[in-house]
Amino acid sequence: MTELAHRPLAAGTGTTSPGEVLDAVAALHELVDSYGAQNDIEGRIAEPVVQALYDSGAIGVITPRELGGSEMTPRQAMDVYRTLSYADPSTGWVTMALAMSTGLAGAFFEPDPAHELFATPRLGIAGQGTRAGRAEPVEGGYLVSGQWSFASGIKHATHLHTAAADTKTGETRFFIVPVAQVDFVDNWDVLGLRATGSIDYTLDNTFVRTEFSYPSLSTSPNTGGWLYRVGIGNFASINHGAWALGVGRRLLDELATSVQKKSGRAGSWGDNASFHEQYANAELRLRSAQALLYDVWEEIESVLAGGERMSVRLETLNRAALCNATEALDEIAGFVYRSAGSEALRPGVIQRLYRDVHGGTQHISSSPIILQSAGRQLAGLAEGQKWVHFQLI
């Protein structure tokens, strides 16, 4: 048993409990849903929605309680992301991006710089963590340079989270930089998830204090409990797995509503036995994916809360469960699109959801190489290897 295991997950000074946040987020459905089409056109989340996300505590679900967050368990955080992604996929995506980067900085910064950072009004941190730039050590900090893509949520953030490698040690660190010091390239012209505003950005010898960075492989928090022992690579299934489940549920519900409205018309799916069978299979596919993902996270929570570390096999199952959820969503989206006919072809909720799905399935965390690596490990063909972010090496 490690000392960290004895830190209570709910200890600290946070004023909003996980249950209260979940209730507040559930009450946002109508607001979030009502702005979905506008968000898609404007390439950002509408300000009333953004403010509601902060007010509800949705951005603080991964933030330590000692810094004002709710420090949820992984499955509680997944419930939040599923709920918001059901209402609008881009809103759910932006929420999980901001929540993770903000919360991890709070956990892995030393206490003094963490409190300095979290004194920022409506603090939100977003950026790229998978491709490392260059970090040259200098007195008191680093000069960080590079070009990155996919800064989801950055249009609603106060700070940037970005990865760069120490030029002397080779260690990759995450650097937290005020957005005013960042050059952004507004080039997010994409098929789906348009409202995430996942634009490119650059830094050119930008000075960052050492204490405003932390090692990318950190799993021993300075603030907070066992949640932060998960490791950033394993957070992907909390984020993207929950997103896939929420969007898949919305797609099936939208199709059911559409079919019910057309019931009795000539050629309607309502009286078609083959459609009934396909819908049942899609429902089972979604529920099976959800059951697997939540089952794996129940085991992970038990292991970490007990003071142990995740085995490589458990990490593998976690990543495989995310791939499974993403593949389930892809299958469901295809079924819904084909079944909805011209309603899906024309502008509307189903078309927007379909496009968003095919933005989300491109994320590196559920790419074919992840599942191939998982299969190698599960088959006992990866002895001595471990997961480093999204690679089994």
Side-chain angles (χ1 to χ4, degrees):
M1 294 282 285
T2 66
E3 179 273 333
L4 193 61
H6 297 290
R7 295 189 198 173
L9 191 66
T13 58
T15 58
T16 307
S17 71
E20 290 172 326
V21 174
L22 286 167
D23 289 344
V25 165
L28 296 180
H29 173 81
E30 185 174 350
L31 174 69
V32 174
D33 182 42
S34 70
Y35 280 100
Q38 176 182 320
N39 294 343
D40 186 64
I41 293 170
E42 297 185 353
R44 62 187 298 126
I45 308 301
E47 177 56 27
V49 174
V50 175
Q51 187 61 52
L53 295 174
Y54 279 98
D55 290 344
S56 68
I59 306 301
V61 299
I62 304 298
T63 295
R65 280 190 162 267
E66 293 172 50
L67 294 170
S70 53
E71 196 174 334
M72 289 187 172
T73 66
R75 285 178 293 165
Q76 289 170 336
M78 288 165 67
D79 287 345
V80 169
Y81 302 152
R82 277 197 305 128
T83 299
L84 290 169
S85 299
Y86 179 95
D88 174 44
S90 285
T91 298
W93 191 282
V94 165
T95 300
M96 54 90 162
L98 288 168
M100 184 187 73
S101 296
T102 305
L104 294 186
F108 295 117
F109 272 25
E110 294 290 339
D112 285 347
H115 282 90
E116 178 184 342
L117 178 65
F118 277 78
T120 304
R122 209 175 87 164
L123 174 69
I125 305 174
Q128 167 63 272
T130 58
R131 185 178 67 184
R134 174 186 174 90
E136 181 182 352
V138 294
E139 184 177 356
Y142 295 84
L143 295 178
V144 181
S145 301
Q147 181 174 351
W148 298 263
S149 301
F150 307 115
S152 298
I154 198 65
K155 293 184 177 182
H156 312 292
T158 58
H159 289 72
L160 175 77
H161 153 110
T162 204
D166 186 312
T167 58
K168 289 187 177 179
T169 67
E171 178 187 55
T172 299
R173 301 179 67 86
F174 291 134
F175 294 85
I176 308 301
V177 186
V179 294
Q181 299 178 23
V182 185
D183 290 323
F184 293 104
V185 183
D186 202 347
N187 60 348
W188 188 239
D189 183 9
V190 290
L191 173 71
L193 290 176
R194 295 173 178 173
T196 63
S198 304
I199 59 178
D200 291 5
Y201 63 92
T202 63
L203 296 172
D204 185 12
N205 285 325
T206 302
F207 177 74
V208 184
R209 291 156 48 193
T210 301
E211 59 266 32
F212 266 58
S213 70
Y214 60 94
S216 66
L217 297 178
S218 294
T219 55
S220 297
N222 293 303
T223 304
W226 56 259
L227 168 65
Y228 306 102
R229 295 173 60 204
V230 164
I232 193 167
N234 288 306
F235 269 97
S237 68
I238 300 175
N239 297 344
H240 301 288
W243 179 86
L245 297 175
V247 180
R249 179 73 271 157
R250 180 67 183 272
L251 278 165
L252 287 178
D253 288 354
E254 288 293 328
L255 179 59
T257 298
S258 175
V259 170
Q260 291 163 22
K261 288 180 180 177
K262 299 173 184 176
S263 183
R265 299 181 192 175
S268 167
W269 287 119
D271 299 320
N272 186 290
S274 177
F275 169 78
H276 301 163
E277 180 182 12
Q278 292 177 68
Y279 192 97
N281 282 328
E283 182 75 29
L284 294 174
R285 185 74 172 91
L286 180 65
R287 289 178 179 268
S288 297
Q290 179 170 321
L292 174 61
L293 188 61
Y294 273 68
D295 180 70
V296 170
W297 272 106
E298 181 179 15
E299 185 173 354
I300 293 172
E301 290 177 14
S302 177
V303 167
L304 294 180
E308 304 298 326
R309 295 196 177 276
M310 271 187 282
S311 64
V312 174
R313 193 170 191 81
L314 192 52
E315 285 197 59
T316 301
L317 288 170
N318 177 41
R319 293 158 195 269
L322 168 56
C323 290
N324 181 61
T326 304
E327 290 178 2
L329 173 62
D330 185 49
E331 294 167 11
I332 289 166
F335 163 64
V336 171
Y337 184 83
R338 292 189 301 271
S339 300
S342 61
E343 182 180 346
L345 180 65
R346 300 180 186 278
V349 174
I350 292 179
Q351 188 216 72
R352 174 163 49 85
L353 293 175
Y354 183 78
R355 287 190 287 103
D356 286 346
V357 165
H358 294 289
T361 56
Q362 301 307 303
H363 196 269
I364 188 175
S365 61
S366 51
S367 65
I369 191 65
I370 300 294
L371 196 57
Q372 293 163 14
S373 298
R376 189 171 77 250
Q377 200 284 326
L378 293 171
L381 302 173
E383 185 177 355
Q385 296 185 341
K386 63 180 180 179
W387 289 97
V388 178
H389 299 312
F390 299 121
Q391 290 185 298
L392 182 66
I393 57 178

